[in-house]
């Protein structure tokens, strides 16, 4: 049995927790929560039949209230938007109390984390991602939807570094097309277009283009163009449309940002011109490939596997799947297709037993080896298709499968696998290249400063900076060092705009941790290693291999010291937190509303000789707010362990 199978096997043999979502029983095994927000949470799950990972968005109907139509629009949008850069919807389950949206699982996390991990992206990498974003947005607009909440937290990475757009909870589909003005103000303040803020009627496409400007800026700079903890001040900055242009931005980057971040929506670049923009095209031969249609013909291998499993004819299955019911069968087919694309085995026979076992959840004594079919599979590694071929009395297997006598209505969990090998079946499996548009691209008039600047700067703003704005009074503004400084207000928390550009600055979480490292190094001799049990009887911190969302401290301090420092930093900031083992869970509330929930877990880094690290996780709330809070907590934690404090 492979590791994955063993894992599922053990899970099923362990006393199982009653599944609080009975609608998912027998279809999915739920794992950890990936994210929460408002009335919904997203959980990782395994689709039992294919063993593929999925994400399930669970929405509590009673909490939805007036938002019910919004959820219906979200579901409708997801059903209509089948695109390589939009998170796929596999299945929808509606019960009296809940909606369950079964979605594609993107294991690479949020684009937001990717940016802050790297500080900022190179122009080339930003372009690679931005082309995918253009592709998704162009497609969505063509289908008549505006997203209205485009931001790096809503772009996930899959295992192949492909971006997938998520969260259609705020999308709009004007009845009479995209030219119809919209009224509802929504989305995240930092990404909101000026016309949204003023409460004017607006065009949904145009507000998405503005957010794409904010997004591209965040990719290239690692911070936001308009930022302020005070929302009123933030809105004023957005309406002025003036933003800081760091010296590392190329003039071409400044140009495209200028065209995206136009305060007047009529002057903002269109999606058509974006697809062929010189910045977007640089290093690519073709404009952005954006229009995709699903092949009407279903994959014969995937169909065959399902036909065997369900003991139905391929034709009847094909018919059911093409009805796009978004049911378990639909999910199974799409997951098989994606398995095939990634070169995995399509065999469902092993899964059938897991599924059976789930259905007899209470009988924990069942083991895999008791099934004759499974035994044969594990000995001979035969796929369903192969078994079919062997067991088929006819060479023309499609005839056999299309025999209506073998079809069974609906999808049911087979009680017996014994006669499966008597079912038959066969075989096997590109992308359009859109032509370069002949539309002439106009680069727009923009005056930017081309003064070459050193990338490595000292901690203060010691180079000339460009300030570019598109509001009517300022089309392009070059400001000097002093002027830029006057925009800064020194606070303990370095906000992106206020802090000096990169290198030597305490800008990113990484840098904060870098300086923590130095600080902790200084106090190495003052620390007495303690051995303690932290909560729940855990004797040591988690050992992590993956360095994603982890800040390395060093190997000179104990995990307990770091935990204590973090704890006191949270207390100092007035952030209530709960401790469980080596994990601290903090919460920031505004009245009754939860603004931010996050976790800081002290861990040890396998790749760094078990040096101490801090694993960060945003549970709820705005990503940039979370980044600022984490930076601040880690900065304070460093102070907590400084020699001066230790002597007191
Ligand atoms: C994942 C992993 C994850 C979250 C999601 C998917 C969420 C997807 C999603 C959420 C929506 C929506 C469409 C897709 O409308 O952590 O694979 O609200």
């Amino acid at each position: 049995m492979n590791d994955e199978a063993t894992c599922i096997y053990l899970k099923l043999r362990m006393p199982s927790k009653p599944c609080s979502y009975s609608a998912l029983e027998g279809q999915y095994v739920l794992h950890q929560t990936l994210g929460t927000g408002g009335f919904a949470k997203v959980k990782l799950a395994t689709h039992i039949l294919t063993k593929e990972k999925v994400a399930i968005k669970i929405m509590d109907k009673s909490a939805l209230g007036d938002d019910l139509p919004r959820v219906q629009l979200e579901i409708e949008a997801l059903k209509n938007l089948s695109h390589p850069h939009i998170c796929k919807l596999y299945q929808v389950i509606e019960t009296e109390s809940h909606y369950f949206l079964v979605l594609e699982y993107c294991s690479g996390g949020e684009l937001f984390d990717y940016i802050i991990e790297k500080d900022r992206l190179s122009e080339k990498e930003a372009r690679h991602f931005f082309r995918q974003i253009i592709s998704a947005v162009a497609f969505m607009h063509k289908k008549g939807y505006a997203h209205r909440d485009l931001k790096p937290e809503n772009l996930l990475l899959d295992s192949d570094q492909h971006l997938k757009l998520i969260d259609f909870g705020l999308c709009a589909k004007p009845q009479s097309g995209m030219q119809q003005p919209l009224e509802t103000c929504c989305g995240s303040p930092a990404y909101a277009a000026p016309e949204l803020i003023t409460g004017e009627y607006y065009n949904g496409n145009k507000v998405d283009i503005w957010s794409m400007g904010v997004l591209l800026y965040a990719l290239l700079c690692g911070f936001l163009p308009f930022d302020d903890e005070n929302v009123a001040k933030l809105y004023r900055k957005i309406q002025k449309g003036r933003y800081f242009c760091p010296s590392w931005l190329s003039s071409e980057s400044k140009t495209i940002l200028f065209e995206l971040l136009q305060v007047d929506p009529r002057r903002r670049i269109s999606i058509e011109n974006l697809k062929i923009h010189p910045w977007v095209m640089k290093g690519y031969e073709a404009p952005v490939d954006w229009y995709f249609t699903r092949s009407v013909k279903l994959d014969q291998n995937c169909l065959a596997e399902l036909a065997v499993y369900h003991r139905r004819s391929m034709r009847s299955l094909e018919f059911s799947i093409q009805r796009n019911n978004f049911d378990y069968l639909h999910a199974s087919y799409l997951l098989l297709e994606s398995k095939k694309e990634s070169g995995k085995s399509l065999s469902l026979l092993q899964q059938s037993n897991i599924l059976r076992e789930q259905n007899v959840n209470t009988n924990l004594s069942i083991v895999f080896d008791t099934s004759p079919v499974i035994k044969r599979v594990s000995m001979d590694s035969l796929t369903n298709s192969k078994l079919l071929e062997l067991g088929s009395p006819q060479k023309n297997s499609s005839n056999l499968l299309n025999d209506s006598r073998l079809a069974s209505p609906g999808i049911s969990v087979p009680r017996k696998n014994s006669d499966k090998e008597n079912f038959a079946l066969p075989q096997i499996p590109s992308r359009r290249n859109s032509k370069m548009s002949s539309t002439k691209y106009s680069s727009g008039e923009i005056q930017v400063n081309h003064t070459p600047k050193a990338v490595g700067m000292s901690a203060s703003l010691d180079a000339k900076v460009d300030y570019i704005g598109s509001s009517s009074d300022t089309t392009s503004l070059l400001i000097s060092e002093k002027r830029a400084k006057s925009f800064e207000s020194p606070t303990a928390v370095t906000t992106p705009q206020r802090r000096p550009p990169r290198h030597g600055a305490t800008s990113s979480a990484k840098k904060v941790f870098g300086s923590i490292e130095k600080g902790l190094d200084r106090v190495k001799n003052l620390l007495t290693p303690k051995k303690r049990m932290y909560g729940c009887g855990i004797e040591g911190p988690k050992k992590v291999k993956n360095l994603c969302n982890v800040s390395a401290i060093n190997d000179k301090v104990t995990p307990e010291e770091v935990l204590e420092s973090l704890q006191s930093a949270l207390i100092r900031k007035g952030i209530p937190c709960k401790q469980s083992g080596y994990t601290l869970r903090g919460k920031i509330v505004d009245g009754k509303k939860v603004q931010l929930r996050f976790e800081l877990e002290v861990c040890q880094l396998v790749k760094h000789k078990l040096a101490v690290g801090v694993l960060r996780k945003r549970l709820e709330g705005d990503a940039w707010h979370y980044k600022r809070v984490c930076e601040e907590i880690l900065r304070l934690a460093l102070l907590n362990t400084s020699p001066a404090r230790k002597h007191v």
Side-chain angles (χ1 to χ4, degrees):
M1 219 183 299
N2 63 25
D3 285 354
E4 212 178 337
T6 315
C7 166
I8 292 176
Y9 169 66
L10 290 174
K11 216 173 211 129
L12 295 170
R13 280 174 62 86
M14 282 193 302
S16 52
K17 262 201 270 167
C19 179
S20 54
Y21 301 116
S22 57
L24 301 177
E25 250 170 45
Q27 299 190 353
Y28 297 94
V29 175
L30 283 181
H31 310 295
Q32 75 268 28
T33 300
L34 296 169
T36 47
F39 44 74
K41 66 177 146 201
V42 179
K43 280 188 160 280
L44 179 66
T46 301
H47 177 269
I48 292 171
L49 185 58
T50 58
K51 264 210 274 179
E52 286 294 279
K53 289 273 184 295
V54 293
I56 305 189
K57 180 169 176 177
I58 304 169
M59 287 175 277
D60 182 349
K61 278 183 174 174
S62 64
L64 281 173
D66 294 344
D67 283 324
L68 195 69
R70 222 179 237 185
V71 173
Q72 280 153 351
L73 182 63
E74 175 179 1
I75 295 172
E76 186 218 282
L78 285 165
K79 283 183 176 177
N80 288 327
L81 298 173
S82 176
H83 185 276
H85 297 301
I86 296 180
C87 188
K88 252 189 210 59
L89 176 70
Y90 296 131
Q91 183 178 1
V92 181
I93 302 171
E94 185 182 353
T95 67
E96 259 186 31
S97 53
H98 289 92
Y99 279 108
F100 300 89
L101 308 191
V102 182
L103 298 148
E104 182 174 4
Y105 175 53
C106 310
S107 57
E110 291 174 11
L111 180 61
F112 173 84
D113 292 316
Y114 189 86
I115 305 169
I116 61 160
E117 207 63 41
K118 292 201 154 191
D119 220 6
R120 60 180 158 90
L121 308 189
S122 69
E123 198 176 300
K124 195 168 167 221
E125 202 175 7
R127 182 176 294 112
H128 163 76
F129 286 131
F130 200 60
R131 285 178 67 97
Q132 301 181 22
I133 298 166
I134 296 174
S135 175
V137 174
F139 184 79
M140 184 177 70
H141 286 182
K142 174 79 182 163
K143 296 275 173 185
Y145 295 95
H147 188 279
R148 303 198 295 182
D149 200 16
L150 293 174
K151 54 183 179 179
E153 300 90 299
N154 283 340
L155 285 153
L156 304 183
L157 287 159
D158 71 4
S159 50
D160 301 320
Q161 292 256 331
H162 290 132
L163 281 184
K164 308 276 174 172
L165 179 59
I166 63 161
D167 207 344
F168 288 79
L170 293 178
C171 80
K173 190 181 194 217
Q175 299 274 300
S176 46
M178 266 305 178
Q179 292 322 309
Q180 184 186 324
L182 299 164
E183 212 185 342
T184 324
C185 182
C186 53
S188 310
Y191 298 82
E195 65 270 26
L196 260 177
I197 294 165
T198 46
E200 298 161 30
Y201 281 103
Y202 62 89
N203 174 307
N205 287 354
K206 298 279 186 176
V207 304
D208 279 347
I209 302 282
W210 173 275
S211 311
M212 286 170 79
V214 179
L215 229 159
L216 181 60
Y217 184 100
L219 291 177
L220 292 167
C221 302
F223 48 86
L224 292 164
F226 313 103
D227 197 12
D228 206 295
E229 276 165 49
N230 178 314
V231 182
K233 282 188 189 159
L234 168 66
Y235 283 169
R236 276 200 291 277
K237 287 180 184 174
I238 293 173
Q239 280 167 319
K240 279 191 185 138
R242 284 173 40 201
Y243 52 90
F244 165 60
C245 260
S247 58
W248 61 79
L249 288 181
S250 68
S251 57
E252 294 92 341
S253 295
K254 288 174 190 169
T255 307
I256 188 170
L257 287 170
F258 180 78
E259 290 167 89
L260 287 158
L261 295 172
Q262 282 293 319
V263 170
D264 181 349
R266 289 166 304 180
R267 300 182 65 181
R268 215 170 286 153
I269 188 168
S270 68
I271 195 83
E272 284 70 34
N273 280 340
L274 259 184
K275 283 187 253 171
I276 50 159
H277 192 286
W279 186 92
V280 172
M281 293 288 295
K282 195 171 173 184
Y284 289 81
E285 272 166 18
V288 173
D289 203 3
W290 64 281
Y291 199 79
F292 297 85
T293 44
R294 273 196 70 81
S295 156
V296 276
K297 188 138 178 52
L298 298 187
D299 183 280
Q300 296 300 296
N301 291 134
C302 301
L303 269 182
E305 286 300 323
L306 288 167
V308 172
Y309 183 79
H310 290 298
R311 292 186 279 161
R312 288 178 58 183
S313 75
M314 281 176 74
R315 191 185 287 162
S316 96
L317 267 184
E318 188 160 21
F319 187 70
S320 305
I321 295 165
Q322 274 169 340
R323 268 191 306 205
N324 267 340
N325 279 344
F326 288 86
D327 53 11
Y328 195 67
L329 179 64
H330 186 258
S332 307
Y333 174 79
L334 291 179
L335 286 163
L336 275 183
E337 242 189 17
S338 96
K339 269 187 115 163
K340 182 168 175 176
E341 263 167 40
S342 47
K344 294 188 200 161
S345 155
L346 298 185
S347 173
L348 295 176
L349 287 178
Q350 293 148 351
Q351 329 313 334
S352 64
N353 254 28
I354 297 168
L355 184 56
R356 243 180 6 170
E357 199 149 325
Q358 265 276 306
N359 281 340
V360 286
N361 217 339
T362 45
N363 184 351
L364 300 173
S365 63
I366 292 177
V367 286
F368 285 120
D369 282 349
T370 55
S371 157
V373 174
I374 292 302
K375 265 193 182 146
R376 192 160 44 247
V377 170
S378 55
M379 286 189 300
D380 303 330
S381 315
L382 292 178
T383 64
N384 267 356
S385 308
K386 283 181 187 160
L387 278 174
L388 282 170
E389 280 164 23
L390 293 175
S392 171
Q394 294 177 355
K395 264 275 162 255
N396 186 351
S397 46
S398 56
N399 286 348
L400 178 63
L401 275 173
N402 289 335
D403 183 340
S404 61
R405 284 170 302 165
L406 298 178
S408 63
I411 49 162
S412 58
V413 180
R415 261 162 234 108
K416 276 189 182 171
N417 292 323
S418 54
D419 55 352
K420 279 195 169 167
E421 59 272 39
N422 293 328
F423 293 82
L425 242 220
Q427 319 310 335
I428 330 248
S430 62
R431 217 163 125 174
R432 296 177 36 175
N433 250 350
S434 20
K435 284 207 186 101
M436 174 96 167
S437 163
S438 59
T439 317
K440 193 173 176 306
Y441 171 76
S442 136
S443 68
E445 306 110 46
I446 171 172
Q447 194 194 331
V448 287
N449 182 296
H450 296 281
T451 321
K453 289 161 193 129
V455 172
M457 287 183 189
S458 61
S460 66
L461 252 176
D462 56 0
K464 272 187 177 176
V465 289
D466 290 347
Y467 230 83
I468 288 192
S470 69
S471 56
S472 50
D473 58 327
T474 339
T475 45
S476 170
L477 174 66
L478 172 68
I479 61 161
S480 69
E481 168 198 353
K482 279 192 189 121
R483 175 94 189 267
K485 270 183 177 160
S486 71
F487 282 89
E488 299 180 7
S489 60
T491 57
V493 186
T494 50
T495 61
Q497 265 184 300
R498 288 181 203 125
R499 69 170 194 231
R502 204 177 152 70
H503 297 294
T506 53
S507 57
S508 68
K510 223 195 278 173
K511 292 204 179 73
V512 173
F513 291 121
S515 40
I516 285 181
E517 188 168 335
K518 285 186 210 118
L520 294 178
D521 242 350
R522 284 200 311 268
V523 296
K524 63 183 173 191
N525 297 325
L526 293 163
L527 305 176
T528 331
K530 298 171 204 160
K531 263 228 150 39
R532 272 194 221 159
M533 301 267 275
Y534 274 88
C536 341
I538 303 164
E539 217 192 303
K542 187 199 279 178
K543 312 239 179 329
V544 300
K545 282 191 193 146
N546 194 332
L547 295 180
C548 188
N549 291 323
V550 172
S551 304
I553 308 291
N554 67 22
D555 55 0
K556 312 291 190 305
V557 284
T558 65
E560 293 77 21
E561 286 283 348
V562 176
L563 186 68
E564 278 174 21
S565 305
L566 289 172
Q567 219 160 12
S568 27
L570 285 160
I571 293 167
R572 254 183 85 180
K573 289 303 289 177
I575 301 173
C577 75
K578 278 190 186 153
Q579 185 200 342
S580 159
Y582 285 83
T583 304
L584 298 171
R585 201 165 285 160
K587 186 154 101 176
I588 299 179
V589 285
D590 181 10
K592 274 192 180 163
K593 197 174 176 299
V594 176
Q595 277 200 331
L596 198 64
R597 286 199 308 119
F598 60 95
E599 246 177 40
L600 296 174
E601 179 175 2
V602 178
C603 57
Q604 286 183 299
L605 313 176
V606 174
K607 288 186 187 148
H608 292 275
K609 299 182 188 154
L610 296 186
V612 181
V614 177
L615 183 59
R616 313 178 301 271
K617 191 171 175 193
R618 181 169 60 95
L619 301 172
E620 194 174 345
D622 177 73
W624 298 95
H625 183 194
Y626 153 80
K627 178 177 182 274
R628 279 199 297 265
V629 170
C630 283
E631 283 174 359
E632 177 67 348
I633 296 302
L634 289 156
R635 198 185 62 80
L636 285 175
L638 162 68
L639 293 177
N640 277 352
T641 50
S642 76
R645 187 182 172 275
K646 284 283 155 191
H647 287 304
V648 174

